[in-house]
Amino acid sequence: MKATNKNSGQNSSESPSLAKKKVVVICPGRGTYNKEELGYLQRLHADKTEIITLIDEFRDRQGQMSVSELDGMENYSMRVHTAGENASALIYACALADYHAINKDQFDVVAVTGNSMGWYIALAVAGALAPEQAIELINTMGSMMSEGVIGGQMIYPIINDDWQIDPVREQQVLQSLAQANQQQGCEVYLSINLGGYLVFGGNKAGLLALEKLLPELQDRYPMNLFNHGAFHTPLLNEVSQQAKSLMSVDMFKAPNIPLIDGLGQVWQPYSCDVEHLYDYTLGSQVVAPYNFSKAIEVAIKEFAPDKLIILGPGATLGGAVAQGLISHQWQNLQSKADFIAKQKQEPFILAMGLAEQRKQVVI
């Protein structure tokens, strides 16, 4: 079923040349604010004082550094900027400010999705959380492991050099996962389906066992993700329970824009079960795998957008999204070379973290 929007600008009274482009907005998750992004808010969003002040004031009440201070630091610090209690709010501030910078006269946002922590940002962007509730949720979830990170995450590719998923490699990787879990004291799970990559979450022993079983690729993989907990795995059951004890369903409301979650489910504005949305967000979404690949598949097949806009900071999601498009041969994309050629000619993906693509999106 295709989503419709009475404000889409596709009515008969508007000339085709002025018709808005339908877009699905993609919200980033952890790991997208890196050294290159330091100063993102200062450089690009000095005018978004209302958004940033609300976030800063909330964090000040929690006794935490403001996002303005984090963004304005002279040097990037892996220890400070990647810590969950800082990274989550900082990425949220950048992404929300980017969303408000999109030229809504040119683009009609028909759906919103996100990767991992990006789901919380998507809730805010789509209006399922008011600004005050959004920063409370994002900051609370980001601060859950401030006393110590639970487990860790590791990423591994299942694609070939043409960005096509290799089913044989994928099967071998999943067999290695099963083998790792047969070893004493090992717990490791699929955490995120990320385009041409699989992200695993587990305890230290489980991740180490899996690392030893996986063949080394590109002198980089398997790659452990710094300061990342075992998100989207049963190891976070207590985090889920604690989150539900701290935050109530009253924080949530039906979205203004369709939301695509990490199962590929679509939450529609006029048929949203808010209690179910709450249970998903603080329940299964926390402890079960996040299928970002499925979210992208639903985005393109159900909403048939003219463009996909990836909010900043950073642009690391672009590759995963492109690999998803290639896996479905979207717009006849068969390979990495096809994707690069299309992006040069008429880009389908517009990443706001890339200056040249950003120019095509902002007011």
Side-chain angles (χ1 to χ4, degrees):
M1 183 176 68
K2 299 290 189 294
T4 57
N5 189 316
K6 65 181 180 179
N7 296 318
S8 65
Q10 302 293 332
N11 58 57
S12 58
S13 65
E14 188 171 12
S15 67
S17 62
L18 296 177
K20 293 183 183 181
K21 288 182 170 63
K22 294 193 301 178
V23 297
V24 173
V25 167
I26 302 169
C27 302
R30 289 279 299 276
T32 52
Y33 190 104
N34 297 298
K35 186 177 181 180
E36 297 76 15
E37 282 71 51
L38 188 65
Y40 195 89
L41 288 172
Q42 288 183 335
R43 289 193 305 273
L44 302 172
H45 297 300
D47 60 328
K48 308 292 193 309
T49 53
E50 186 175 345
I51 291 171
I52 297 167
T53 298
L54 187 148
I55 296 170
D56 282 349
E57 288 178 347
F58 178 88
R59 286 178 60 82
D60 182 63
R61 292 194 295 272
Q62 312 307 310
Q64 296 172 315
M65 286 179 69
S66 69
V67 294
S68 299
E69 187 178 353
L70 287 164
D71 186 67
M73 287 175 64
E74 187 174 342
N75 296 303
Y76 179 82
S77 166
M78 285 284 286
R79 181 183 60 81
V80 174
H81 287 94
T82 67
E85 60 270 24
N86 294 331
S88 297
L90 186 54
I91 291 166
Y92 166 57
C94 294
L96 184 63
D98 266 4
Y99 179 75
H100 284 281
I102 294 172
N103 187 341
K104 303 304 193 303
D105 292 329
Q106 183 181 355
F107 298 106
D108 177 29
V109 180
V110 296
V112 182
T113 190
N115 175 50
S116 190
M117 190 205 88
W119 169 248
Y120 304 142
I121 301 174
L123 288 167
V125 164
L129 295 168
E132 294 79 5
Q133 280 69 49
I135 183 54
E136 181 181 351
L137 176 88
I138 289 165
N139 205 78
T140 301
M141 296 306 293
S143 301
M144 283 291 192
M145 300 187 204
S146 57
E147 299 301 316
V149 176
I150 299 171
Q153 274 186 326
M154 184 170 68
I155 187 168
Y156 195 79
I158 54 169
I159 46 170
N160 59 27
D161 292 341
D162 288 323
W163 279 8
Q164 300 156 339
I165 291 176
D166 182 341
V168 174
R169 181 185 291 176
E170 182 178 15
Q171 190 59 37
Q172 290 171 340
V173 170
L174 293 176
Q175 286 172 354
S176 295
L177 176 66
Q179 283 181 260
N181 278 307
Q182 290 171 2
Q183 299 182 31
Q184 187 172 2
C186 293
E187 273 191 85
V188 60
Y189 307 89
L190 177 63
S191 173
I192 306 172
N193 286 88
L194 191 63
Y197 294 80
L198 296 178
V199 179
F200 300 98
N203 62 13
K204 187 176 180 180
L207 289 170
L208 184 59
L210 181 58
E211 185 177 1
K212 290 179 178 177
L213 288 166
L214 293 173
E216 185 176 313
L217 291 174
Q218 304 168 28
D219 297 323
R220 303 177 65 194
Y221 301 104
M223 180 193 293
N224 287 288
L225 301 177
F226 182 74
N227 243 348
H228 284 219
F231 307 120
H232 316 295
T233 75
L235 292 175
L236 265 64
N237 273 319
E238 285 189 20
V239 167
S240 172
Q241 292 166 13
Q242 186 181 358
K244 287 185 174 181
S245 72
L246 293 171
M247 294 173 284
S248 75
V249 67
D250 296 337
M251 293 174 62
F252 291 71
K253 57 184 178 179
N256 302 320
I257 304 166
L259 272 165
I260 308 165
D261 68 19
L263 296 172
Q265 298 176 129
V266 180
W267 302 84
Q268 296 282 3
Y270 299 109
S271 59
C272 177
D273 183 328
V274 175
E275 191 164 330
H276 187 193
L277 180 62
Y278 166 82
D279 285 337
Y280 167 75
T281 299
L282 299 183
S284 60
Q285 188 273 144
V286 178
V287 301
Y290 197 96
N291 196 339
F292 180 68
S293 300
K294 185 67 176 180
I296 295 303
E297 179 185 0
V298 171
I300 58 176
K301 292 182 177 179
E302 290 294 315
F303 295 93
D306 299 305
K307 306 280 184 185
L308 298 175
I309 295 178
I310 303 176
L311 303 179
T316 54
L317 271 185
V321 174
Q323 290 148 15
L325 299 179
I326 290 167
S327 72
H328 298 289
Q329 299 181 9
W330 191 251
Q331 296 188 356
N332 297 316
L333 294 175
Q334 307 279 340
S335 66
K336 180 180 180 180
D338 288 349
F339 172 72
I340 292 172
K342 179 168 182 56
Q343 286 293 104
K344 286 180 179 178
Q345 183 180 7
E346 180 60 37
F348 181 68
I349 297 175
L350 295 173
M352 294 184 73
L354 298 175
E356 284 304 310
Q357 293 178 18
R358 184 183 187 84
K359 291 176 186 176
Q360 301 182 49
V361 176
V362 298
I363 300 168

